[in-house]
Amino acid sequence: GAGVSQSPSNKVTEKGKDVELRCDPISGHTALYWYRQSLGQGLEFLIYFQGNSAPDKSGLPSDRFSAERTGGSVSTLTIQRTQQEDSAVYLCASNGGGTNEKLFFGSGTQLSVL
Amino acid sequence: QQQVKQSPQSLIVQKGGISIINCAYENTAFDYFPWYQQFPGKGPALLIAIRPDVSEKKEGRFTISFNKSAKQFSLHIMDSQPGDSATYFCAASMGDYKLSFGAGTTVTVRA
């Protein structure tokens, strides 16, 4: 596709359930990022992939959060045993991995935990 | 703890007016300062960026002013238009992959 694609666009789940969020980056982009956007909190870095490896997972809030990337392309962010504080917009971005290279963001997944 | 502090949280400006958003940082290792623009329901998109070796950068109606000694930078939107109504995020990085974003400023331009 022409841009970064994220699915689903909206997800409503019950507290305690697991959720999977998907990101399909721009073709050829080697670097992939997950950010979380909470109301009034700006964008919070979660994890960075270069190819299939994740050299920086420092932003993952707890061990309930995990992410993987396969084939140097699609990435999945998994949240286990969701809590209400996990409610946010989860944004994925990609680029070629160069220094100060602009990020191309998807439209995000709005996660609501009831 | 946010490494980049952004203000105001929101602002309203009349069409044709000037919108000013301010950001401050502490980490002197930051050497790249982009601004991203986000419309409702969309992801942020790069608007304009500056390096600390220049004090000002202008692209159309958008200008970044940078004050290295004060560790502050700002975005000025000249002749604001209703289509500029969006949320603006300042950010900073150390020339690596990780951007630290401000909390965002929602700009509303009244016609």
Side-chain angles (χ1 to χ4, degrees):
Chain A
V4 177
S5 178
Q6 291 189 246
S7 61
S9 55
N10 283 281
K11 177 72 176 178
V12 180
T13 190
E14 293 179 350
K15 177 182 171 182
K17 300 281 190 184
D18 298 351
V19 295
E20 284 190 354
L21 312 180
R22 176 188 167 105
C23 173
D24 201 340
I26 292 173
S27 178
H29 279 185
T30 58
L32 185 147
Y33 313 76
W34 284 97
Y35 282 83
R36 180 167 70 176
Q37 183 174 16
S38 305
L39 209 57
Q41 298 294 315
L43 279 73
E44 175 190 7
F45 169 83
L46 297 179
I47 188 169
Y48 157 67
F49 286 92
Q50 182 59 252
N52 289 337
S53 64
D56 189 347
K57 306 178 183 179
S58 63
L60 295 178
S62 73
D63 58 8
R64 296 187 295 104
F65 288 71
S66 63
E68 65 174 12
R69 188 179 185 195
T70 55
S73 182
V74 172
S75 176
T76 302
L77 177 69
T78 301
I79 309 173
Q80 296 179 310
R81 305 181 302 282
T82 51
Q83 303 295 310
Q84 289 183 332
E85 61 263 28
D86 299 335
S87 296
V89 176
Y90 290 83
L91 289 163
C92 175
S94 69
N95 63 16
T99 301
N100 295 335
E101 191 172 332
K102 79 174 179 179
L103 297 176
F104 292 84
F105 282 90
S107 295
T109 293
Q110 172 73 65
L111 175 65
S112 300
V113 182
L114 304 180
Chain B
Q1 181 185 358
Q2 279 192 317
Q3 296 197 57
V4 180
K5 293 186 175 5
Q6 183 172 348
S7 63
Q9 186 175 5
S10 64
L11 68 90
I12 299 173
V13 63
Q14 291 295 122
K15 180 181 174 181
I18 302 174
S19 304
I20 302 175
I21 306 169
N22 300 299
C23 288
Y25 63 97
E26 287 298 324
N27 189 344
T28 55
F30 285 146
D31 68 353
Y32 174 67
F33 302 88
W35 286 86
Y36 278 76
Q37 179 189 52
Q38 183 180 32
F39 293 105
K42 301 293 185 184
L46 180 66
L47 182 64
I48 187 173
I50 198 168
R51 295 290 303 271
D53 51 349
V54 298
S55 60
E56 186 175 283
K57 183 174 181 180
K58 184 175 180 179
E59 287 186 5
R61 295 182 294 105
F62 299 89
T63 300
I64 301 179
S65 297
F66 188 84
N67 186 330
K68 188 173 182 178
S69 60
K71 291 184 284 187
Q72 294 176 348
F73 58 111
S74 60
L75 177 71
H76 294 229
I77 307 174
M78 313 300 287
D79 186 27
S80 297
Q81 300 296 311
D84 297 332
S85 296
T87 299
Y88 294 81
F89 294 94
C90 60
S93 80
M94 290 181 273
D96 60 4
Y97 56 87
K98 186 185 290 187
L99 281 173
S100 296
F101 284 88
T105 297
T106 300
V107 173
T108 303
V109 182
R110 297 240 193 267

